[in-house]
Amino acid sequence: MTQNQVITETDSKQKDLMDNFLRVIKQNELSHSYLFSGEEGVGKLSLALFITMRMFCKNLTSESMPCGECDECRRITDLQHPDVIVIKPDGLSIKVDQIRYLKSEFSKSGLEGNQKFFIVCDADKMTTGAANSLLKFIEEPTGNVVSFLLTTNRNLILPTIISRTQVVELNPLSRSDFEGELAKLSMSPSQFKLISRLTNRISTVQEWQEDEWLAHSISAVSHWFNLIVENDITAFAAIKSNVMSLASDNSKKQVIINMLLSIFEDVLDAKFTSEDSFNFPKQAYSIQKLADHVNKSQLIQILEELLNCNKLMAVNVSYQNILEATTLKIMRILNG
């Protein structure tokens, strides 16, 4: 990430927080330790780097912004500044030796000034030893030190660390920014609407990409829906043969139910609105075919049956039984 990219991303994703920190710095009220909490892609690292650039930049703009061009700004974003240390997980975790290195480096006098900054990415991935070591350092920092801890899950951070930091909840991504992050994951634009309907978490989408779970689920739901439209009773069997292998945990079971709802919401849009952007655009023909055949009362009944799946899940009814029974009910409604 270049220095100008840091400024642009911070301005785009966290404009309010950027302006607030500029005021805080101008008033000389920057705290010694912050915990930035927010989803993947919301700009936690860029905000921390932006603040650091503002504190070191030698050529501030008339709006007190870092210039993004000087040697200080460049070295910070290149992670080459001697008084700015960025720690990231070594493998799956941040280990105690990494925190010891940080403490060792910061026990020395500032190489170019009296202020030092450190940023801990994925702070929730610190081992217990690393977290306890960092806690002692935050409690008794050496000199003028400012720390930024970045996390997607503050519940995994030691409460004692949280109590010694100023917690900042970052704004969620806007629709356009979220779609921009999806594009970075090489997701097809045709899937953006459905994904936005299912989640606003980039980290969740990344999990769904593992073993192509999302693609397989879209395919399974699409196949099931096409059988429904053709009044093919094998839609019942498709639950066991195509869907159940994808329902590996409760969160994924819930997502599949939401997918079923989403495709029938497409039918609703096709029948009663001018909406031509579907959650399942590749099924546009089948969606329109069903919309031409079904009436308003039938659609409402189907959506109510799908919504009832959530209630049945909550009382631990067998998931396969829920979807199979719902499939039969939908087919009876359509044939009624």
Side-chain angles (χ1 to χ4, degrees):
M1 184 182 296
T2 68
Q3 53 269 34
N4 287 325
Q5 286 175 330
V6 167
I7 296 173
T8 300
E9 179 172 300
T10 306
D11 184 64
S12 169
K13 297 180 179 179
Q14 300 297 332
K15 172 67 173 173
D16 291 343
L17 285 174
M18 181 186 79
D19 290 342
N20 181 67
F21 272 105
L22 287 175
R23 287 191 295 270
V24 167
I25 293 170
K26 187 174 182 179
Q27 295 166 7
N28 197 30
E29 295 177 350
L30 195 66
S31 296
H32 78 282
S33 188
Y34 292 91
L35 176 64
F36 287 174
S37 178
E39 294 300 327
E40 293 288 345
V42 298
K44 296 185 295 293
L45 178 58
S46 62
L47 178 60
L49 289 172
F50 172 85
I51 296 167
T52 306
M53 288 166 61
R54 168 59 182 79
M55 295 298 292
F56 282 91
C57 181
K58 303 297 186 183
N59 189 27
L60 297 174
T61 69
S62 57
E63 293 82 20
S64 293
M65 293 272 287
C67 69
E69 298 177 356
C70 69
D71 189 53
E72 297 288 286
C73 289
R74 179 188 58 77
R75 288 192 297 168
I76 288 170
T77 54
D78 287 347
L79 308 185
Q80 298 295 324
H81 198 289
D83 291 327
V84 180
I85 293 180
V86 178
I87 292 178
K88 298 180 179 181
D90 179 12
L92 298 177
S93 64
I94 295 174
K95 301 173 175 61
V96 67
D97 285 346
Q98 292 176 270
I99 303 301
R100 287 173 180 162
Y101 165 77
L102 168 70
K103 293 165 70 174
S104 172
E105 288 297 302
F106 278 19
S107 65
K108 307 171 185 176
S109 60
L111 296 180
E112 300 186 13
N114 63 356
Q115 59 184 1
K116 305 176 185 179
F117 284 68
F118 71 87
I119 302 169
V120 180
C121 302
D122 297 315
D124 48 279
K125 295 182 180 179
M126 287 188 290
T127 64
T128 301
N132 286 324
S133 181
L134 182 66
L135 174 62
K136 294 178 182 178
F137 186 56
I138 291 176
E139 288 176 329
E140 302 174 2
T142 302
N144 185 14
V145 175
V146 177
S147 62
F148 297 101
L149 312 184
L150 318 182
T151 181
T152 57
N153 190 347
R154 59 180 289 185
N155 294 324
L156 296 179
I157 304 291
L158 285 180
T160 45
I161 288 182
I162 293 177
S163 68
R164 288 161 176 78
T165 62
Q166 184 170 325
V167 178
V168 178
E169 295 286 349
L170 273 70
N171 299 321
L173 292 175
S174 66
R175 176 67 177 271
S176 60
D177 284 335
F178 184 67
E179 291 183 351
E181 293 298 321
L182 292 178
K184 292 178 183 178
L185 296 178
S186 300
M187 304 301 297
S188 168
S190 66
Q191 297 176 332
F192 287 178
K193 183 174 182 179
L194 176 62
I195 293 172
S196 298
R197 167 71 171 76
L198 300 174
T199 185
N200 63 354
R201 298 167 59 101
I202 290 296
S203 56
T204 298
V205 179
Q206 290 174 318
E207 291 175 8
W208 292 346
Q209 283 187 301
E210 296 178 5
D211 301 322
E212 298 185 342
W213 183 87
L214 181 63
H216 291 316
S217 297
I218 291 174
S219 176
V221 169
S222 297
H223 177 66
W224 172 86
F225 178 76
N226 288 335
L227 294 174
I228 291 285
V229 173
E230 297 301 323
N231 195 30
D232 189 334
I233 192 60
T234 57
F236 176 89
I239 297 299
K240 181 179 180 180
S241 61
N242 293 351
V243 175
M244 287 307 298
S245 62
L246 300 166
S248 56
D249 57 49
N250 283 337
S251 65
K252 289 180 177 177
K253 290 175 182 178
Q254 183 68 66
V255 171
I256 290 172
I257 290 174
N258 288 339
M259 283 186 178
L260 303 182
L261 276 163
S262 296
I263 201 165
F264 274 98
E265 288 171 357
D266 284 344
V267 178
L268 191 67
D269 286 339
K271 189 168 187 68
F272 296 109
T273 75
S274 58
E275 177 66 56
D276 59 0
S277 175
F278 295 140
N279 294 299
F280 286 79
K282 292 184 179 180
Q283 304 309 312
Y285 174 80
S286 294
I287 289 168
Q288 190 61 57
K289 180 178 180 179
L290 185 58
D292 293 340
H293 168 76
V294 74
N295 61 45
K296 181 178 179 180
S297 175
Q298 289 172 312
L299 263 180
I300 291 175
Q301 290 181 67
I302 290 171
L303 290 171
E304 287 177 344
E305 290 295 341
L306 290 169
L307 288 169
N308 192 50
C309 292
N310 294 317
K311 297 178 182 178
L312 295 173
M313 271 191 66
V315 293
N316 295 321
V317 177
S318 162
Y319 187 70
Q320 182 174 331
N321 289 345
I322 291 172
L323 294 191
E324 288 177 343
T326 300
T327 298
L328 294 178
K329 289 176 182 176
I330 290 173
M331 298 190 76
R332 282 198 292 269
I333 291 170
L334 292 174
N335 290 316

